[in-house]
Amino acid sequence: MDENQKKVSGLVLRGKSSRQGLAMRVLSHAMRILGIETSCDETAISIIEAEGSFGNDFRFSVLGNALLSQIEMHREFGGVFPNVAKREHQRALVPVLQDALWQAKLVKPERDVSEETIAESERLLEREPELALQLSQFFRAYNTPDIDAIAVTVGPGLEPALWVGVNCAKALALAWNKPLVPVNHMEGHIMLAAADGNALARFRMPLLSLLISGGHTELVLSKEWMQYELLGATRDDAVGEAFDKVARLMGLPYPGGPEISRLAAVARENGETSAFTLPRPMITTDDFDFSFAGLKTAVRRLVEETKGEGSLTEWQTRAIAKEFEDAVADVLVAKTMRAIEQTDAQALVVGGGVSANAHIRARLSDALRDYGYSTKLLIPPPELATDNALMIALAGYFRAEKKQFILASDMQAHGNLKLI
Ligand code: KG4
Ligand code: ZN
């Protein structure tokens, strides 16, 4: 291990009774957290070392960050099928784990896990036989890494996909004798958005979070760090879901968000204008709810009318993509600005895969300036906006710091997990 990776201090687990986080002693300062994410179509594992707490010299560094995307696989089917995702996570987890541990220089070919423990871990992975086999081989070949806790996404997401990560985390916790931290995926998006370099950005509460992903469209208020109050949410489709479904209607590949965004950008760069108009659902309603199903239906009608018996021209496709993206951005901006006004939010997190969208990022940033709000905008870099395990390791650290560990026998995946 090289010098800058030497651990300052960490959790000490004592004897068998301390397994799964019971009877542990927190020394102080730095903790190494291994985070696992399998809620949708990315298999990801990251290892961070972090110390401090919110508002109190929080610092972290990334020791390893590995991700395997299933997008190519799902593209063939035009979307994510939970059981395909589950199978792919099973296959990918051990290679991704090895990659992350290698990057962190935390593994050596020195076995220290007993056959008895391996047999126990195989029982935990009864429903994931392929993963069980790969993991057993891994335990037979390598040492226990010097980490302090294992954090894993327990929801929200696709339940069969979540379970693979959850069971893998249980098996690792058992074999390595490490505590487990359950993580809410959406909290991960918030925390990664709030991170800045190797620390947290400087901001004051209340914090408003606009969470826009394949499964969520929500405005969430935090009067305190890690406390959440739901202001409003979509009544039907999530924004990312609308992007993906609309892309499909227009014959574009999965996932639709980046593709629509790319085409809309070309239309804007070329200065192309069109007479196409789409609705801005619920833009004037006096609440913080959203609805995107009607917008999707309107796109379907527009596509059918425009193409008639033929197919959409490239110009028409770009024009519809641009109008759709404008409609979504108008609604998100209007609702978010109203929420800032009502809550006096001092910072705005934009998190979730759709926050990778350049147009939506720019529109929100322009709106803050035009409305004269001094609200600090917190958005992850585009490459970290979509799912990854860094966000899970980060959220895991803040939960571990509060000693929010869980017994393996109590840990379950919850597809509809809410932020609390
Ligand atoms: O957060 P995420 O990676 O997974 C979920 O937790 O759902 O979000 C994925 C969603 C997909 O619907 C994808 O189409 C959308 O984020 N997305 C985008 C862009 N990049 C990803 N939507 C619009 N513009 C983008 N550039
Ligand atoms: Zn996500």
Side-chain angles (χ1 to χ4, degrees), residues 96-127:
V96 169
L97 173 70
Q98 285 184 343
D99 187 358
L101 288 170
W102 247 258
Q103 289 177 32
K105 301 194 178 71
L106 287 175
V107 276
K108 311 186 270 295
E110 284 170 16
R111 169 186 179 161
D112 57 13
V113 181
S114 72
E115 274 307 315
E116 187 195 350
T117 305
I118 291 177
E120 249 182 280
S121 118
E122 284 177 354
R123 278 194 289 280
L124 281 173
L125 294 169
E126 232 164 33
R127 292 169 182 222

Side-chain angles (χ1 to χ4, degrees), residues 241-276:
E241 188 182 355
F243 266 98
D244 296 339
K245 287 179 174 171
V246 159
R248 208 162 155 178
L249 288 172
M250 303 202 300
L252 303 172
Y254 172 87
E259 195 58 19
I260 290 192
S261 169
R262 190 182 62 77
L263 293 171
V266 175
R268 279 187 206 102
E269 267 164 35
N270 294 349
E272 294 169 2
T273 53
S274 79
F276 295 143

Side-chain angles (χ1 to χ4, degrees), residues 329-372:
D330 284 350
V331 174
L332 294 177
V333 165
K335 294 268 169 171
T336 306
M337 294 305 125
R338 190 175 306 135
I340 291 175
E341 191 192 345
Q342 277 201 19
T343 61
D344 197 24
Q346 300 297 302
L348 171 66
V349 151
V350 187
V354 183
S355 69
N357 183 289
H359 185 64
I360 293 172
R361 294 164 79 95
R363 288 284 313 277
L364 283 164
S365 162
D366 291 350
L368 286 177
R369 189 199 53 219
D370 296 347
Y371 279 68

Side-chain angles (χ1 to χ4, degrees), residues 37 39-40 185-186 189 213-214 352-353 385-388 391:
E37 157 64 34
S39 69
C40 189
H185 180 89
M186 301 317 285
H189 277 304
S213 70
T386 49
D387 293 348
N388 59 77
M391 61 192 234

Side-chain angles (χ1 to χ4, degrees), residues 134-370:
Q134 286 194 44
L135 210 49
S136 296
Q137 284 169 355
F138 181 82
F139 291 144
R140 287 191 184 104
Y142 299 103
N143 64 311
T144 297
D146 188 5
I147 57 164
D148 299 296
I150 296 168
V152 61
T153 307
V154 293
L158 303 170
E159 231 163 80
L162 287 165
W163 270 114
V164 186
V166 166
N167 286 336
C168 178
K170 289 184 189 191
L172 293 175
L174 171 89
W176 293 341
N177 197 16
K178 306 288 179 191
L180 283 168
V181 189
V183 171
N184 181 306
H185 180 89
M186 301 317 285
E187 183 169 72
H189 277 304
I190 294 175
M191 289 188 172
L192 191 52
D196 182 11
N198 287 343
L200 286 176
R202 289 194 170 274
F203 60 92
R204 285 181 293 129
M205 306 307 262
L207 167 71
L208 178 72
S209 297
L210 172 67
L211 300 177
I212 41 179
S213 70
H216 288 78
T217 304
E218 288 179 350
L219 277 164
V220 175
L221 185 68
S222 301
K223 290 182 181 144
E224 285 174 50
W225 181 241
M226 292 171 80
Q227 295 201 349
Y228 308 101
E229 198 182 308
L230 183 67
L231 299 183
T234 182
R235 296 184 178 175
D236 40 59
D237 292 353
V239 194
E241 188 182 355
F243 266 98
D244 296 339
K245 287 179 174 171
V246 159
R248 208 162 155 178
L249 288 172
M250 303 202 300
L252 303 172
Y254 172 87
E259 195 58 19
I260 290 192
S261 169
R262 190 182 62 77
L263 293 171
V266 175
R268 279 187 206 102
E269 267 164 35
N270 294 349
E272 294 169 2
T273 53
S274 79
F276 295 143
T277 52
L278 288 165
R280 270 66 175 157
M282 298 185 70
I283 195 164
T284 54
T285 57
D286 195 19
D287 56 27
F288 301 114
D289 285 352
F290 301 87
S291 166
F292 293 103
L295 178 57
K296 173 193 64 193
T297 310
V299 174
R300 176 180 291 124
R301 227 176 290 125
L302 182 59
V303 168
E304 278 163 10
E305 280 165 15
T306 309
K307 73 177 184 187
E309 297 298 304
S311 51
L312 292 178
T313 64
E314 284 182 18
W315 177 86
Q316 287 167 336
T317 307
R318 287 199 296 271
I320 296 173
K322 173 171 165 284
E323 174 62 10
F324 171 76
E325 196 175 58
D326 282 338
V328 168
D330 284 350
V331 174
L332 294 177
V333 165
K335 294 268 169 171
T336 306
M337 294 305 125
R338 190 175 306 135
I340 291 175
E341 191 192 345
Q342 277 201 19
T343 61
D344 197 24
Q346 300 297 302
L348 171 66
V349 151
V350 187
V354 183
S355 69
N357 183 289
H359 185 64
I360 293 172
R361 294 164 79 95
R363 288 284 313 277
L364 283 164
S365 162
D366 291 350
L368 286 177
R369 189 199 53 219
D370 296 347

